[in-house]
C-alpha cells in the first residue's frame, strides 16, 4: 500500500508515524514532509497547497490513500479535486471545511442547529466592533473570522487591549484577509477540552479527549500560540460528558452540514469549554489538531489506517468498533524557536546537550531521549558546502520546532519523560513550557 501524507509539520509526522505502525509494509510519502518523516518515509518536494502537482504525483505513483494534514489545502479544495479524479483522500471538501475557514459560517451553523456556544457578533468595521466590545464588557474574545494559523484569537482584559486587537485585525491587517471580518464573542468561563471525531458525513466516532496549552508561558501566561503542549487522557472527559457532546455537538453539526449540501468526511475537531452550564463549543477545526495529535496517537491501540481508509473510500463507519486506547498517559512538550509567536528566528542548529550533533531525533537510541518520541515540525537539514567534509546540520525552520511526547503509566511519568528529553535538546532561543498537564496534576495531588 502507498500512502501520501500532505503537510510537513509535527501533526503530519505523528500521522505518518502512526500509519506506519498500523501498516509496517506500507510505503509512506509526505509532501513536503520534514527530516523526521524522512526516517520512516519518502519526502517529496511539493508544497501542501500545490494541488495540481499533488494530484499528478498521486496518479504517477499510483498512491492508494492521501491523508491531508493542514487546513490550507482543504480550504483550497484538494478533496474536491481528488474526488473528481477518483482518488481516495481523507479530509472534508472546501464547502465542509468552512466550519473552520469561516468562523461566521461556523457560528451561524451552530446557532441554527442549537449547538451550545458563546454569543458572538460579526463586524467588518472597527467602529461597530468597538461598540460591541463596550456592550459585552471584559474580558472579551476577539477573533479573526478566517484562517490565522491558530493565532487569530485575542482575549482582551481592558479597553486598550480590545482597541489594539480590533485595530491590528481590521485596520493593520495583521492576519491578512483572515481579519477582513472579526467576531466579538462573550468570554466563557470553564476548562477547555479538545475532542477529535472521525466522520463519514453522517456518523462521528470520537477519540480520547486531550487538553491543549495555548499560552506561551507557564501558568497560562503570555500570548496565544498554535499550542505549546498537550496531554491525555483528561479526567473531565467523562462518559456522561461525551454522550452530551455526541448528541449536542457532533450529531447536529453533521446534520446541519448535510442540509447545506456539505457532507463532512474527515477529522472534525471540537474545541470545547466545559462551563457550569455544560460543554460549549469554542471553535471547530476541519483537521487533526496540533499538538494534540502528537499526544493522542501514541496512546491509540487500534488502527487509525483502517477507519480513515473506510472514510476516504466513501464507506460508512456506523458499525465500526470504538477506538481502543493503551493504559497510561501521554504528554507532549513543544519546543519553539526564539521569538515565537511573533518574530521567529530560524537557522539555529539543533543539538543534544551532551554535544552530539543530530540529523534526526525520532525514537533515537540516545540515552538522553530514548524514552520519548520526538516529532519534527519546524526543522530542516542544512546541507554542507560541497568542498567540505562536514555533515548536514539539523536546524530550526519554523515557529514550533519539535514536539516531544512522553508516554507513561501515569501523567506524572509521561510529563517527566517528556521534560527529560526536552531538556536534553538544545538550540539557540529555545522556548518551552514546563507545566504541561498542570491542571490534571493539581486535581490528582
Amino acid at each position: 500500500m502507498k500512502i501520501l501524507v500532505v503537510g510537513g509539520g509535527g501533526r503530519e509526522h505523528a500521522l505518518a508515524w502512526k500509519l506506519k505502525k498500523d501498516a509496517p509494509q506500507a510505503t509512506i510519502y509526505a509532501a513536503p514532509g520534514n527530516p523526521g518523516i524522512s526516517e520512516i518515509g519518502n519526502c517529496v518536494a511539493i508544497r501542501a497547497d500545490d494541488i495540481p502537482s499533488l494530484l499528478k504525483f498521486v496518479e504517477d505513483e499510483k498512491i492508494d490513500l492521501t491523508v491531508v494534514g493542514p487546513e490550507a489545502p482543504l480550504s483550497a479544495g484538494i478533496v474536491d479535486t481528488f474526488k473528481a479524479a477518483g482518488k481516495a483522500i481523507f479530509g472534508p471538501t472546501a464547502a465542509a471545511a468552512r466550519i473552520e475557514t469561516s468562523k461566521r459560517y461556523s457560528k451561524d451553523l451552530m446557532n441554527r442547529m442549537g449547538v451550545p456556544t458563546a454569543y458572538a457578533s460579526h463586524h467588518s468595521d472597527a467602529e461597530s466592533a468597538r461598540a460591541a466590545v463596550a456592550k459585552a464588557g471584559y474580558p472579551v474574545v476577539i477573533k479573526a473570522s478566517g484562517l490565522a494559523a491558530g493565532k487569530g484569537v485575542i482575549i482582551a482584559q481592558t479597553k486598550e487591549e480590545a482597541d489594539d486587537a480590533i485595530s491590528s485585525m481590521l485596520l493593520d491587517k495583521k492576519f491578512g484577509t483572515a481579519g477582513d471580518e472579526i467576531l466579538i464573542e462573550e468570554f466563557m468561563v470553564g476548562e477547555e477540552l479538545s475532542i477529535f471525531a472521525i466522520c463519514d458525513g453522517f456518523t462521528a466516532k470520537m477519540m480520547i479527549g486531550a487538553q491543549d496549552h495555548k499560552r506561551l508561558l507557564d501558568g497560562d501566561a503570555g500570548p496565544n500560540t498554535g499550542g505549546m503542549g498537550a496531554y491525555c487522557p483528561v479526567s473531565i472527559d467523562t462518559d456522561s460528558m461525551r454522550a452530551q457532546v455526541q448528541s449536542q455537538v457532533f450529531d447536529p453539526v453533521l446534520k446541519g452540514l448535510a442540509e447545506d449540501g456539505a457532507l463532512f468526511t474527515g477529522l472534525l475537531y471540537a474545541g470545547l469549554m466545559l462551563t457550569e452550564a455544560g460543554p460549549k463549543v469554542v471553535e471547530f477545526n476541519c483537521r487533526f489538531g496540533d499538538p494534540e495529535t502528537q499526544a493522542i496517537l501514541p496512546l491509540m491501540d487500534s488502527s487509525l489506517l483502517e477507519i480513515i481508509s473506510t472514510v476516504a473510500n466513501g464507506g460508512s463507519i456506523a458499525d465500526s468498533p470504538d477506538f481502543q486506547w493503551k493504559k497510561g498517559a501521554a504528554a507532549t512538550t513543544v519546543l519553539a524557536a526564539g521569538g515565537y509567536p511573533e518574530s521567529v528566528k530560524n537557522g539555529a542548529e539543533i543539538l543534544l546537550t551532551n554535544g552530539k550533533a543530530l540529523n534526526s531525533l525520532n525514537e533515537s537510541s540516545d540515552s538522553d531521549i530514548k524514552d520519548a518520541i520526538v516529532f519534527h515540525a519546524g526543522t530542516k537539514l542544512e546541507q554542507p558546502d560541497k568542498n567540505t567534509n562536514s555533515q548536514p546540520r539539523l536546524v530550526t525552520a519554523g515557529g514550533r520546532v519539535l514536539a516531544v511526547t512522553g508516554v507513561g503509566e501515569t501523567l506524572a511519568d509521561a510529563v517527566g519523560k517528556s521534560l527529560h528529553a526536552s531538556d536534553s535538546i538544545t538550540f539557540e532561543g529555545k522556548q518551552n513550557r514546563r507545566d504541561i498537564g498542570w491542571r490534571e496534576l493539581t486535581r490528582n495531588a
Side-chain angles (χ1 to χ4, degrees), residues 69-80:
E71 61 274 19
L74 295 170
S75 174
I78 186 173
V79 172
D80 307 73

Side-chain angles (χ1 to χ4, degrees), residues 322-356:
D322 291 337
F323 298 110
Q324 300 298 312
W325 303 97
K326 298 173 183 175
K327 294 181 179 179
T332 299
T333 301
V334 168
L335 308 186
Y340 180 77
E342 297 298 334
S343 179
V344 175
K345 300 172 183 177
N346 286 324
E349 185 174 10
I350 304 168
L351 302 166
L352 287 181
T353 52
N354 61 16
K356 292 183 180 179

